[in-house]
Each structure stands twice: as C-alpha cells, then as structure tokens.
Amino acid sequence: MALNKAITPTTKNNMATCSVIILNWNGAAMLRQFLPNVLKNTNNPDYEVIVADNGSTDNSIEVIQEINTNSLTKGIAPARIFPFETNLGFAAGYNQAISQVDSEYVVLLNSDVEVTPNWLEPLLSYLDSHPEMAACQPKILSWKAKQEGKQVFEHAGAAGGHIDYLGYPYCRGRIMDYVAEDKGQYDTIETCFWASGACMCIRTEVYEEVGGLDDDFFAHMEEIDLCWRLNARSWWVACVPKSVVYHVGGASLNYGNPRKTFLNFRNNLIMIYKNAAAKHLFCALSARLFLDYAAALNDFLHGRLANAWAIVRARFAFLFSIHKFHAKRKENRRCATVKDMLTISRRSIVWDYFVKHQKSATF
C-alpha cells in the first residue's frame, strides 16, 4: 500500500508539554474504535496525540486521516502521524517515535485503550509535584468486563506492577491469571516496581537517559525491564488510581498465543540476566530452570503442545543470545545504586499462588 510520507511532519517540536504516543500495527479496527475517544479526552493545547504506524499493511493511515477530519469538524485537535516503513516492534517503534518529539513527558498508550475524561491530568500533576518519580500509570481496568457491567482489573498493569525474587511480575489486582474485581481497594497512590506499557507516563529526558525500551526484546516485558533500570538508578515508579483507563488486552497477540508465550518467557529471562545483582541472578536463574520446564510440562500434559514447545524454545533462545547482553548487564550493574533491590519482593508468587492460594498482592 502506498503511503503519503508527507502527511504529517516528524521533526521534533517544542509545543507540547506531553506527547501521547499510540503505536499501531495493522490495527485499523482498534484505531477506529478508540482513537476518537483519546483525541476527545486529550484535547488540550499543552498535549498532542501521535500515532506511530509500524509499517501497517492494512488501511490504518486512511482510518487515522478520516478520524482526524471528523475531529477537526468538532474542534478537536487531530493526531500527528509518524509512518514507519517496516514493523520495528513495540520497543524500537516507541524508541523511534520518542526520538522525534521534544515534550517534557511522553505517554506510551496501547491502541486498544479507552481513556476517560481528564485521565491525563492526574498523571502529569503527580509527576510535576514528585520530582523523584520517573514514571507512573493509571488504574487499568478490563474493557471487556466493562461491556458486561463489571469493574475488573486488567491483566497488563492493573493498579501497579511488582516483581518477585524469581523475576515473576504481578500487580495489585492481578496475580498470575487471576484478576480481581475493582472495589476501590487499590485507590491509593502507591509506589510500584513497574508501570504498564499499556499506559505509561514517563519523563522524556529520563526515558532517553536510561536507554528507553530495549530493542532486542521486540515486544513483551520491555516496560518491566525499563522500570528495573529506573529503580536501580534511584528513580521511583507509581500508580495514580485517580486516572482510570480501560484496556482490551491481547489486541496484537492473544493471551495463550505461542508467539506471546515465547516472547514472555525469553524476555523475562533476558531481563533477569541484564539487571539482577550477582547473588540474586544465580538464585533466580537456578530456580527458573526448574520452574520453566515444569510450566512446559504442565502445558504438554494439558494438550497445549505449541505453548509447551514455545517455552522450551524460549529457554534455548535465551541461552544462545545471552552473549549479546553482557555489555548491557555490565552497564546496568555499574549504574545500580543502593535502591537496586529495595523494591523487589522477597516472596515467591508461584509459592504464594499455587501452594498458599493467595490472590492478593498485599503481603
């Protein structure tokens, strides 16, 4: 499909306080459904909305242009378009887009997120008044549950992400595959280990200072790796529940998709290797050797053969690519401060969930 590469300038600008960046790849249907809502609820001269298109082969560009035209008739600012020639992946796509803006803050926003009125102000206000904070996220609820009249946390981020000693991520409101109903139990602002890539507000200068998302991840776990680097360098991350968004989840790859399983397991191991202190690294990787193959065996016994094979392939992919991350590990450990291990839970989520049957992140 021929694209008009001159539709919107992609040079840096000095106009916006915050750039909300939506990364799109063949997501015309999601853009048609959610982009008008984002434009409407982010319509402020201090903000801009950007759609970075990752080499889509569907009619995404035409859909954005159509939405922009309709928005202008309503007095709503249109989205800028950054058209990339190829699919750079989630990490490199965002890095490329962020390199082309000059705003104080950027928001990484998935294309399948429905934002609410005044969703952005609490995030920016919190970062403005807390200079020690590098990034924050809103409360992330399930869009699908909302359609059924329920208020349920969404898997990817919920009310703030944490990580256990073996490298397993979890959230306030989500442990493993269990997601809790939102009853206001997590409506307080709380520091966390990681903010969700579904909707993360971060200082642009800090994002670039720590290297942004790791291009080698392609997709999945990259925001947790980024936040690990932030934590290790004495920055803080928080969830600001006054801001609320609804996330569909699994728009690019459905949960349980073998490709998603492969990326999650491989990238999780890479993340641990890149960031963990030496003693922590040995314990985590030793335990994960057993636990990952146990997960593969469980999938095999339940007939999920493609997923089981994806876990095995992820283990080997990690081993064969580990040499690529020696320099990154050396740099991360060199920059690590005393805060490095303070925000990592000493508990095991696997033990708490499967053995003790705990379904709450508040230990």
Side-chain angles (χ1 to χ4, degrees):
M1 179 180 66
L3 300 180
N4 178 7
K5 297 302 180 185
I7 44 183
T8 312
T10 58
T11 54
K12 285 199 173 190
N13 70 91
N14 295 295
M15 301 297 293
T17 299
C18 180
S19 297
V20 177
I21 304 177
I22 299 170
L23 191 67
N24 172 70
W25 179 69
N26 289 341
M30 288 293 173
L31 291 172
R32 192 179 295 279
Q33 183 166 7
F34 295 109
L35 181 57
N37 168 267
V38 175
L39 293 176
K40 177 183 176 182
N41 290 316
T42 318
N43 191 33
N44 184 307
D46 289 332
Y47 312 149
E48 66 175 352
V49 176
I50 296 167
V51 180
D53 186 74
N54 240 342
S56 293
T57 55
D58 64 0
N59 64 333
S60 289
I61 298 295
E62 289 84 353
V63 167
I64 301 167
Q65 291 173 320
E66 177 188 331
I67 292 170
N68 280 345
T69 300
N70 292 337
S71 296
L72 282 169
T73 64
K74 301 173 183 176
I76 298 172
R80 300 175 71 203
I81 308 173
F82 290 0
F84 303 150
E85 294 288 349
T86 59
N87 182 7
L88 302 175
F90 187 91
Y94 267 116
N95 289 341
Q96 177 67 17
I98 291 172
S99 73
Q100 297 177 172
V101 302
D102 200 24
S103 305
E104 183 178 0
Y105 302 107
V106 290
V107 175
L108 285 61
L109 184 70
N110 279 10
S111 61
D112 59 340
V113 171
E114 178 185 283
V115 301
T116 58
N118 302 312
W119 69 282
L120 189 51
E121 285 76 8
L123 303 177
L124 298 179
S125 176
Y126 184 75
L127 292 180
D128 275 342
S129 59
H130 293 81
E132 76 280 7
M133 292 288 171
C136 61
Q137 70 158 73
K139 178 164 67 174
I140 304 176
L141 300 177
S142 168
W143 183 87
K144 294 175 182 176
K146 181 189 175 188
Q147 309 314 300
E148 301 172 357
K150 302 175 183 177
Q151 292 286 95
V152 176
F153 289 103
E154 211 282 315
H155 188 275
H162 297 273
I163 196 168
D164 80 351
Y165 196 72
L166 299 182
Y168 288 108
Y170 62 100
C171 308
R172 290 195 302 168
R174 190 269 294 176
I175 302 290
M176 295 298 183
D177 292 330
Y178 170 79
V179 287
E181 182 181 353
D182 176 24
K183 299 179 179 179
Q185 69 272 42
Y186 301 125
D187 277 355
T188 54
I189 295 176
E190 182 173 294
T191 57
C192 52
F193 186 84
W194 56 275
S196 173
C199 186
M200 176 197 291
C201 183
I202 186 168
R203 300 179 192 275
T204 310
E205 184 178 3
V206 175
Y207 180 94
E208 295 176 333
E209 177 185 297
V210 302
L213 299 174
D214 190 331
D215 293 0
D216 288 320
F217 279 41
F218 188 77
H220 299 297
M221 296 281 176
E222 64 288 307
E223 78 268 42
I224 306 178
D225 171 71
L226 170 62
C227 289
W228 198 329
R229 281 178 276 138
L230 292 173
N231 279 278
R233 288 159 175 78
S234 292
W235 286 101
W236 293 87
V237 179
C239 177
V240 182
K242 188 175 181 180
S243 172
V244 179
V245 302
Y246 293 87
H247 184 212
V248 175
S252 298
L253 290 173
N254 293 327
Y255 297 118
N257 181 293
R259 174 63 174 166
K260 192 183 193 86
T261 299
F262 170 83
L263 289 170
N264 273 326
F265 274 80
R266 185 201 66 173
N267 291 352
N268 186 253
L269 292 170
I270 292 171
M271 176 182 69
I272 295 169
Y273 176 74
K274 281 180 55 183
N275 296 287
K279 183 179 179 181
H280 179 198
L281 178 68
F282 176 79
C283 294
L285 291 185
S286 298
R288 290 297 297 273
L289 179 65
F290 168 77
L291 291 170
D292 287 355
Y293 281 115
L297 178 61
N298 181 67
D299 278 341
F300 177 81
L301 294 176
H302 285 85
R304 298 185 291 267
L305 304 186
N307 262 0
W309 178 234
I311 296 172
V312 174
R313 287 192 300 111
R315 292 286 319 181
F316 280 96
F318 164 66
L319 291 175
F320 288 128
S321 66
I322 197 171
H323 64 280
K324 293 173 54 178
F325 299 97
H326 288 335
K328 292 179 180 179
R329 172 174 173 75
K330 184 177 180 180
E331 175 64 12
N332 289 339
R333 296 314 308 159
R334 183 186 69 82
C335 295
T337 66
V338 68
K339 182 179 179 289
D340 180 30
M341 296 290 290
L342 294 180
T343 48
I344 296 176
S345 172
R346 293 297 189 268
R347 303 288 291 272
S348 166
I349 292 302
V350 173
W351 180 267
D352 287 325
Y353 182 79
F354 290 105
V355 179
K356 300 176 69 175
H357 305 292
Q358 291 186 355
K359 295 183 178 180
S360 170
T362 54
F363 300 131

